[in-house]
Amino acid sequence: MKKAFFVFNCTLLLIISVSACNKPVYKYNPDFEGTWRTVAVYDTILDKIVQSEIVIDGADGSYKNTCEPCNTNELCNCVSYQVGKAVMNDTKTQLKIGSNGFALTIDQEPKENSSGLWTIIIKGQTYYRN
């Protein structure tokens, strides 16, 4: 009986610890939802204008890193691109998109200024919600 109780408690703790990690970002803070972009800047190494984008749409997300603006609202030729579930780590300091994606450090969570402009700072870059 003691062994069964011990196994049950261990299983319960495992379930709780797994569910506590990697919570969907929109459940942690719904202000993360939306399309976020950096301003277009000239990259001297790539010798072109680039910008990055993060999209959180419910449980799903995408991250386009260092891309060329190619149409009025599109980004092309990205250095990297991740897509998949958007989750927050248990310490609320990193956002991960996709199962193979690397963690994106959150320097500032979504914040609205007095003019109604939303910003977020990820990996030292300021993103603006469209």
Side-chain angles (χ1 to χ4, degrees):
M1 182 69 170
K2 286 183 181 180
K3 185 177 180 181
F5 183 71
F6 177 76
V7 169
F8 174 78
N9 282 337
C10 287
T11 303
L12 184 61
L13 284 174
L14 180 62
I15 291 169
I16 290 170
S17 66
V18 168
S19 65
C21 298
N22 297 331
K23 185 175 186 174
V25 71
Y26 78 97
K27 286 186 178 181
Y28 162 68
N29 182 347
D31 290 337
F32 275 94
E33 284 204 79
T35 299
W36 301 85
R37 279 209 182 154
T38 61
V39 295
V41 296
Y42 178 73
D43 186 303
T44 57
I45 295 170
L46 298 174
D47 191 31
K48 59 184 173 182
I49 303 292
V50 296
Q51 65 185 137
S52 298
E53 176 184 78
I54 297 172
V55 177
I56 306 296
D57 184 14
D60 298 319
S62 68
Y63 173 58
K64 295 179 179 180
N65 182 30
T66 314
C67 308
E68 291 179 65
C70 57
N71 289 328
T72 56
N73 205 23
E74 294 293 320
L75 298 178
C76 302
N77 303 321
C78 301
V79 170
S80 65
Y81 179 63
Q82 297 169 212
V83 64
K85 300 296 178 199
V87 296
M88 180 71 66
N89 72 342
D90 59 345
T91 60
K92 315 294 189 269
T93 58
Q94 295 181 336
L95 167 66
K96 185 176 177 185
I97 298 175
S99 59
N100 294 327
F102 58 91
L104 304 172
T105 304
I106 301 169
D107 301 312
Q108 176 197 293
E109 291 197 15
K111 183 170 117 178
E112 184 179 21
N113 69 14
S114 59
S115 302
L117 181 66
W118 283 88
T119 59
I120 187 172
I121 302 175
I122 304 284
K123 292 180 61 180
Q125 287 192 302
T126 302
Y127 289 76
Y128 300 89
R129 184 157 52 195
N130 295 345

